[in-house]
Amino acid sequence: MAEMRRVTAICNGTAIDHIPSGHALQLLKMLRLDVGRSNPISLVMNVPSGKMGRKDVLKIEDRELNQEELDRLALIAPKASVAIIRNYAVAEKRRIDLGEELVNIARCSFSNCITQNPNEPLPHRLRVISAEPLEIRCAYCGRGQDVDEVADYIL
Ligand SMILES: [Zn+2]
């Protein structure tokens, strides 16, 4: 618990803990919180963690992430713990669920995939082949996706 105090307590919002070290910015990108006018965000990187060695912690004020948003995070931080904060206290804990298929979360990174054809609108479906290590493949063309680049292909 002491390590959480490094980040300013927030009144209302979402706290994401146990993010793999160095990935908090990628997470913000996946949540589309890195551009434009956004809620106040506290970000702490490379916090020593007993469980993980080093970790990142993210707190987003005045915003409760929903399950669809949380499931996006499974691509980068499947073991992160999420707490919904209300009035400075943990009101709810939420789980990040990777599931078996990611529908309309990220697109296939291959330009000649059928999903890139604007005349043929299809849902974007990426299959989870394995969770550890993370391996995902396009449900249409079957090509493996580069997990490190997936944040660039978020819809
Ligand atoms: Zn594809």
Side-chain angles (χ1 to χ4, degrees):
M1 286 310 286
E3 62 201 33
M4 280 299 284
R5 283 189 215 120
R6 274 173 191 270
V7 189
T8 320
I10 58 170
C11 181
N12 295 297
T14 306
I16 308 172
D17 196 1
H18 299 109
I19 301 166
S21 177
H23 286 77
L25 288 172
Q26 227 176 354
L27 237 63
L28 285 180
K29 199 168 171 183
M30 295 189 84
L31 292 167
R32 298 196 195 91
L33 292 170
D34 62 326
V35 283
R37 223 193 290 179
S38 165
N39 303 50
I41 292 163
S42 342
L43 168 67
V44 179
M45 298 178 87
N46 298 320
V47 183
S49 158
K51 220 194 282 182
M52 305 172 70
R54 300 262 159 182
K55 64 172 185 176
D56 291 358
V57 181
L58 201 57
K59 291 192 180 184
I60 304 150
E61 285 182 46
D62 298 320
R63 175 119 185 249
E64 297 187 3
L65 295 183
N66 61 36
Q67 196 60 47
E68 191 264 327
E69 290 172 305
L70 291 177
D71 291 346
R72 290 170 174 252
L73 305 184
L75 288 171
I76 290 174
K79 288 180 180 156
S81 36
V82 181
I84 303 298
I85 312 286
R86 289 181 200 133
N87 199 18
Y88 294 105
V90 175
E92 275 177 48
K93 294 206 168 184
R94 298 227 173 122
R95 274 189 37 190
I96 293 176
D97 196 2
L98 182 57
E100 290 175 359
E101 196 171 71
L102 304 157
V103 180
N104 290 330
I105 290 177
R107 63 180 174 83
C108 175
S109 58
F110 290 87
S111 57
N112 58 353
C113 179
I114 190 168
T115 55
Q116 310 289 321
N117 184 344
N119 300 321
E120 217 145 340
L122 289 166
H124 294 269
R125 292 166 50 208
L126 300 175
R127 288 208 178 108
V128 178
I129 307 296
S130 127
E132 260 192 274
L134 184 57
E135 189 189 342
I136 47 179
R137 286 182 179 277
C138 176
Y140 300 97
C141 69
R143 288 188 178 103
Q145 308 293 310
D146 187 332
V147 176
D148 292 328
E149 285 176 10
V150 83
D152 297 332
Y153 294 97
I154 286 292
L155 295 167

